[in-house]
Amino acid sequence: MQRLKILGLLASTVLAFATSVHAQSALKNETEALSKVTRDNFYDVVVPLAKAEGKVVMYNFAGSFGELWNEGLIKPFEKKYGIKVEYSDVKGDQADQQLIAIQKAGQNAPVDAYFDGGGSYPVLSAAGAVANINLGAILPNLATVPSQFKDIVFGVNVHGSYPIVHRNQTAIGYDSALISEKDVPKDFDELLAWAEKNPKKFAMTLPTKGGSGGGFLQSVALNYTAGACRDRLLDYSKSQSEDDDWAMSEPCLQPVWDYFTKLLKVTELTNGNADTLNLINNKQAAIGTVWEDQVMTFVRTKQLPASFKLTLLKNGQVGSGDAFFIPSNAVHPAAAMLLINEAFSMDFQAYKMETKASRSPRSDFDATKVSAETRSYLLPASVYPSLSLPANWVMGNSLAKALDEKVLSRL
């Protein structure tokens, strides 16, 4: 999934949100009964209203997740509640802009429940396109989801309106048939040394073309900075333009540019996450930047060898996630609430972990529901979650621009 496509939309915004769930409801088509829903009365209130609405329209921005949604969520939901789900795969950036335009025009939204990139919230909420309703406080299946996945998401207070339903992790992937475990780099310095010893055998996705490269760039920056400089990388309060200016001019980032000046001279740069994996599958590269969930999909579809393994480098690499939300002008808000609630159920969370290596945001996730086969494709417990770091995609976008100016343009 190319999460960085949406990051170009992020701009300087002031996010205004009411602290009360329904102090000034942004749900255009909300009924009086729905406005009084709580976690305790959720099923009594929402199920009858959802059945009366009769259907729910769902958007999915992640192309590889189509089968997951249809088989794991939609079919069981329709069977359980008798409510039709009209499903569409969309390109996130285009669908976001369409939703914003419709919101500005005061028209009804074409979608009720939207699975979108975690970094899309600032621009959507600034345009009033995200319904001001605290799903985190209302939906029963979000009761065990920690605050960082439903209240403060990527450093932004979303007030429960944009909960993370799918967690993913950037990583280093390698073909264990080509490189023995003892030779796999353990930290960023070792990776550079390995790449210099094995030119063009390390594949890195360009940060502007795929999130595995963008995540790697952020991880390198966090590894080679300290103190106030490192803290600034994780400051989510700054605008895109402020981050752009800082990343382009800040002297404390020079070790990061020095590292990439050396690394990229011996690296095979790719134009997408899938391109990186394909290089390794074709044995043109042995190590690359990857997403954990995408790797499992490629291994199971035999687009990667069974000998493919994952690891995280010392001092950590960034993880991310994607969210569900209800647009302000949703036509079927009750059915949307019910569908999103099912997406956070233990059964579906286990299903997506089993089939897509999609990590659960639930603190009570039952890992015994995941098969030994699936666990063999995942990051080992020795590095995950201990080496998982928070992503800051707004800063990541700024770092990518600076990398292009300070390193790539000079190679």
Side-chain angles (χ1 to χ4, degrees), residues 373-396:
E373 180 199 7
T374 290
R375 286 196 295 273
S376 71
Y377 301 136
L378 303 176
L379 282 159
S382 60
V383 299
Y384 185 89
S386 61
L387 295 182
S388 178
L389 302 174
N392 181 349
W393 291 115
V394 178
M395 175 59 76

Side-chain angles (χ1 to χ4, degrees), residues 119-411:
S120 290
Y121 175 81
V123 70
L124 288 169
S125 64
V130 179
N132 182 12
I133 180 168
N134 193 334
L135 300 173
I138 292 173
L139 273 56
N141 286 329
L142 271 80
T144 61
V145 174
S147 178
Q148 67 263 35
F149 300 126
K150 63 182 179 183
D151 299 318
I152 310 296
V153 176
F154 300 134
V156 177
N157 191 343
V158 303
H159 298 268
S161 67
Y162 204 83
I164 297 296
V165 69
H166 156 66
R167 293 176 60 199
N168 45 32
Q169 177 65 43
T170 64
I172 295 298
Y174 63 97
D175 187 347
S176 62
L178 300 179
I179 176 173
S180 65
E181 186 173 349
K182 67 180 180 62
D183 293 328
V184 175
K186 302 299 189 294
D187 59 32
F188 292 93
D189 286 344
E190 287 186 13
L191 178 64
L192 173 59
W194 186 93
E196 289 178 329
K197 186 177 179 180
N198 301 274
K200 301 299 181 179
K201 291 299 182 180
F202 173 65
M204 174 184 164
T205 307
L206 277 166
T208 54
K209 299 294 185 179
S212 68
F216 181 74
L217 171 57
Q218 290 184 59
S219 302
V220 169
L222 290 168
N223 182 74
Y224 289 104
T225 57
C229 187
R230 191 178 191 276
D231 291 342
R232 180 64 177 81
L233 292 168
L234 295 173
D235 185 349
Y236 300 92
S237 68
K238 305 300 184 182
S239 69
Q240 187 71 76
S241 60
E242 288 174 316
D243 280 352
D244 286 350
D245 291 342
W246 183 84
M248 198 67 71
S249 62
E250 179 52 53
C252 74
L253 292 177
Q254 190 57 47
V256 178
W257 312 134
D258 291 344
Y259 180 87
F260 277 108
T261 297
K262 296 175 182 177
L263 181 67
L264 297 185
K265 287 180 181 178
V266 292
T267 293
E268 190 69 42
L269 290 170
T270 75
N271 287 318
N273 302 309
D275 290 344
T276 298
L277 296 180
N278 288 332
L279 275 181
I280 298 175
N281 185 50
N282 295 329
K283 302 191 184 305
Q284 294 174 266
I287 302 179
T289 60
V290 302
W291 286 102
E292 181 186 37
D293 57 334
Q294 188 180 35
V295 162
M296 194 174 85
T297 297
F298 269 57
V299 172
R300 279 189 162 155
T301 56
K302 301 188 185 307
Q303 297 177 78
L304 278 174
S307 55
F308 196 86
K309 303 294 181 184
L310 297 171
T311 191
L312 296 178
L313 299 176
K314 184 180 178 182
N315 292 337
Q317 294 183 245
V318 302
S320 189
D322 303 308
F324 249 130
F325 75 97
I326 300 175
S328 302
N329 292 350
V331 178
H332 311 100
M337 286 186 197
L338 196 59
L339 181 67
I340 294 173
N341 185 60
E342 287 298 304
F344 283 89
S345 69
M346 185 65 78
D347 285 347
F348 178 69
Q349 289 290 313
Y351 179 88
K352 69 183 182 66
M353 182 71 164
E354 177 67 30
T355 58
K356 284 290 185 181
S358 170
R359 300 276 180 173
S360 176
R362 291 181 59 141
S363 61
D364 63 342
F365 179 73
D366 185 358
T368 64
K369 292 184 178 240
V370 179
S371 69
E373 180 199 7
T374 290
R375 286 196 295 273
S376 71
Y377 301 136
L378 303 176
L379 282 159
S382 60
V383 299
Y384 185 89
S386 61
L387 295 182
S388 178
L389 302 174
N392 181 349
W393 291 115
V394 178
M395 175 59 76
N397 195 37
S398 298
L399 291 173
K401 295 174 186 175
L403 180 73
D404 184 65
E405 173 69 22
K406 295 178 177 294
V407 180
L408 290 171
S409 66
R410 302 177 185 181
L411 291 178

